Amino acid sequence: MGWGVLQDSRYPNVRTVNLNEEVHSSKLEDWEYEEPKKREDIVLPPQPTDSPNDPLNWSTGTKMAILFIVSLTADVTVSLGPMMTTGFDEIEKTFNVTADQISFSLVGLLQITTGSRKRPVFLIPILFLFGTSAWGFFAGGFLSLTLMRVVQGFSAAPLETLISATISEIFFVHEKGKMLSIWNLFVMGGVKLGQLIAGFIIQNLVLNLPSAFELSSTPLSCLLCRISKAGFWCTAWKPVPLITFPVVIYVAFTYFFYAAGLTLIALLQGTIFSAAPYNLSSSAIGLTNLPLFGVGLIGTLLSGYTADYLVQFLTRLNNGVYEPELRLLLMLVAGSLSSVAYIGFGYSIAAGTSIYIPIAFLGVQTFSVPFATSAMFTYVMDCHPSHAAQAFVTMNFVKTAVSLAMSEFVNGWFEFSGVKLVFMIVVITNLARLRSKIARSAFHLKF
């Protein structure tokens, strides 16, 4: 099989797909044989039905409209957490709390509740986001602000998990990388530009106006979708056993690591750049995200197109047989670049170098993240296509649960251990999981 994908002697054909199947005369003589549907010379997995209501048969315009709507909601949803990080100093002074209290209550709790449920509806969570944003504007104390963020996280949950399920259901295997790159582009915009806008609002207006920004930018839109006949409690329970699936375990913790890297940088950015020798204001800290967004834009588009091109190229080399593990080669790019970025950022901050140097290393880290998310999401989609939506819920919950724990101590850990040790541990962890083996389990083939 090659390319680092090991052949399993017991289950050699799990989730393999022949993307270049040739139709021989012997097959045509078989009355039960159905020639697979193709687009040009590529076999379409999954195979669409003949029904016009099958999402795979929808027009490209319909699919792209749905993708942009849910990506826009994800953009606003993802911006909710990072937009508070540029104003840590102002929040500390206003409410007389510590940086760890802020990161846990206003970022960590938002994330854990965001990862705790799946999309039961679409419109109702948007209305709740609208209401919690108004609540945040009028919050009179830190406890009220904390409770608002918890409710806001529950409201944002369906919007954050909806996009991965949508891509899994309406696009083919060879299209998923490019479509995920569009989603990643919106997510990158929410993370980076949300901080930029919030920084100016916090510095030049008043602390509670970011909530007014959230309120005004929350999109109110509806989405046509299929209605599932599965029971609510059956669907709600379905993500739980997926945490025992080897692929889901690997993807969940890898996805957590790269998402946590963005969270770690966001939580420490205000602490690092507001102190000597940089002494940046909230708006200036927000501006440091502008070049990162540009780099992330390039990385997002490049990773998406690379993911699909690489799969088709390696499939041809593999005699036309596609293996989901071929997606994991993108992790070589993500792991190498992110390790260089973390080491460079930690040591440049410790040395007090010009701010352009740590920002450059943050750019390398931002560039690497889309390669990891593209590899992880498409890998789990292709390994467990019938459970992809529930797998994303499980992955998101693992990511947010560990992020919650991290938000409780990360600022204190940084002050106690120093920036070099913190990021050296991050690099060691990153390299330790770069090369992994993922088992194929007889038990999990039943699902």
Side-chain angles (χ1 to χ4, degrees):
M1 195 174 299
W3 302 101
V5 182
L6 305 180
Q7 182 70 41
D8 192 320
S9 58
R10 294 179 300 163
Y11 312 106
N13 297 310
V14 178
R15 298 305 180 200
T16 60
V17 177
N18 195 331
L19 295 180
N20 301 101
E21 181 178 344
E22 296 182 3
V23 182
H24 298 286
S25 57
S26 59
K27 290 185 177 181
L28 293 175
E29 293 173 358
D30 186 350
W31 288 94
E32 296 183 355
Y33 174 76
E34 287 188 24
E35 184 176 353
K37 296 181 176 67
K38 294 183 178 182
R39 182 173 293 170
E40 296 178 351
D41 62 338
I42 299 177
V43 176
L44 299 178
Q47 285 283 288
T49 66
D50 295 326
S51 171
N53 294 323
D54 187 339
L56 293 170
N57 290 328
W58 290 346
S59 68
T60 302
T62 299
K63 291 181 179 182
M64 296 306 296
I66 292 172
L67 177 62
F68 276 102
I69 289 172
V70 293
S71 295
L72 180 59
T73 60
D75 173 276
V76 176
T77 300
V78 170
S79 71
L80 296 176
M83 67 166 46
M84 286 292 184
T85 58
T86 57
F88 269 28
D89 280 349
E90 287 82 356
I91 298 174
E92 285 184 69
K93 296 172 183 175
T94 302
F95 297 108
N96 193 28
V97 290
T98 65
D100 276 338
Q101 286 177 299
I102 299 170
S103 62
F104 179 80
S105 300
L106 302 188
V107 180
L109 288 178
L110 175 84
Q111 290 189 332
I112 189 64
T113 51
T114 299
S116 62
R117 56 188 289 206
K118 188 181 176 286
R119 50 173 178 132
V121 289
F122 191 66
L123 182 60
I124 293 177
I126 292 178
L127 296 177
F128 268 89
L129 274 181
F130 192 86
T132 53
S133 297
W135 177 1
F137 180 81
F138 293 106
F142 191 71
L143 178 60
S144 177
L145 205 58
T146 299
L147 293 175
M148 180 274 293
R149 296 290 272 183
V150 172
V151 177
Q152 197 169 60
F154 277 111
S155 304
L159 308 180
E160 188 165 323
T161 57
L162 177 65
I163 180 63
S164 52
T166 301
I167 292 177
S168 178
E169 292 170 1
I170 69 177
F171 293 105
F172 298 104
V173 165
H174 67 284
E175 299 174 324
K176 291 176 182 176
K178 291 189 288 288
M179 300 308 130
L180 277 171
S181 71
I182 295 175
W183 169 61
N184 275 325
L185 174 62
F186 279 86
V187 170
M188 191 70 66
V191 172
K192 300 303 181 184
L193 299 184
Q195 288 179 283
L196 171 64
I197 297 171
F200 278 98
I201 293 174
I202 290 172
Q203 179 180 332
N204 298 314
L205 297 174
V206 293
L207 179 62
N208 58 356
L209 276 185
S211 294
F213 165 71
E214 296 166 25
L215 185 150
S216 62
S217 62
T218 301
L220 294 174
S221 53
C222 296
L223 177 66
L224 293 174
C225 59
R226 291 186 299 174
I227 299 175
S228 173
K229 295 181 180 179
F232 173 78
W233 292 112
C234 177
T235 304
W237 171 256
K238 203 172 181 180
V240 177
L242 292 179
I243 195 60
T244 66
F245 283 44
V247 168
V248 177
I249 293 173
Y250 172 77
V251 171
F253 281 95
T254 302
Y255 174 52
F256 146 71
F257 183 86
Y258 284 90
L262 292 175
T263 302
L264 177 68
I265 296 297
L267 291 174
L268 294 179
Q269 221 169 344
T271 303
I272 292 173
F273 292 138
S274 63
Y278 304 110
N279 299 316
L280 299 184
S281 63
S282 295
S283 60
I285 294 173
L287 281 171
T288 61
N289 290 285
L290 195 56
L292 302 183
F293 173 70
V295 172
L297 172 63
I298 298 172
T300 296
L301 297 177
L302 186 60
S303 66
Y305 281 87
T306 301
D308 288 339
Y309 172 79
L310 188 65
V311 162
Q312 295 179 49
F313 174 73
L314 295 179
T315 298
R316 286 194 291 269
L317 293 182
N318 199 33
N319 299 318
V321 177
Y322 165 69
E323 296 276 356
E325 285 79 11
L326 298 178
R327 299 279 189 184
L328 298 180
L329 286 180
L330 288 179
M331 292 303 300
L332 294 175
V333 179
S336 302
L337 291 180
S338 59
S339 296
V340 170
Y342 288 129
I343 291 178
F345 181 76
Y347 275 77
S348 62
I349 291 295
T353 61
S354 167
I355 193 170
Y356 298 107
I357 296 178
I359 293 298
F361 282 113
L362 286 186
V364 176
Q365 187 253 358
T366 303
F367 183 84
S368 72
V369 171
F371 286 88
T373 55
S374 180
M376 293 300 99
F377 277 64
T378 52
Y379 180 49
V380 79
M381 282 179 185
D382 296 342
C383 286
H384 300 292
S386 60
H387 301 295
Q390 290 77 23
F392 292 128
V393 176
T394 305
M395 291 160 49
N396 206 39
F397 182 77
V398 170
K399 181 258 294 185
T400 53
V402 184
S403 295
L404 172 68
M406 184 179 69
S407 68
E408 170 68 16
F409 67 85
V410 65
N411 283 280
W413 179 37
F414 170 76
E415 293 179 4
F416 178 80
S417 301
V419 65
K420 285 200 292 188
L421 180 60
V422 168
F423 283 97
M424 184 58 68
I425 292 175
V426 172
V427 169
I428 293 173
T429 306
N430 188 31
L431 294 176
R433 38 139 301 281
L434 184 58
R435 177 68 175 103
S436 303
K437 291 184 179 180
I438 305 169
R440 287 173 173 175
S441 162
F443 171 74
H444 296 103
L445 292 181
K446 300 176 183 178
F447 291 88

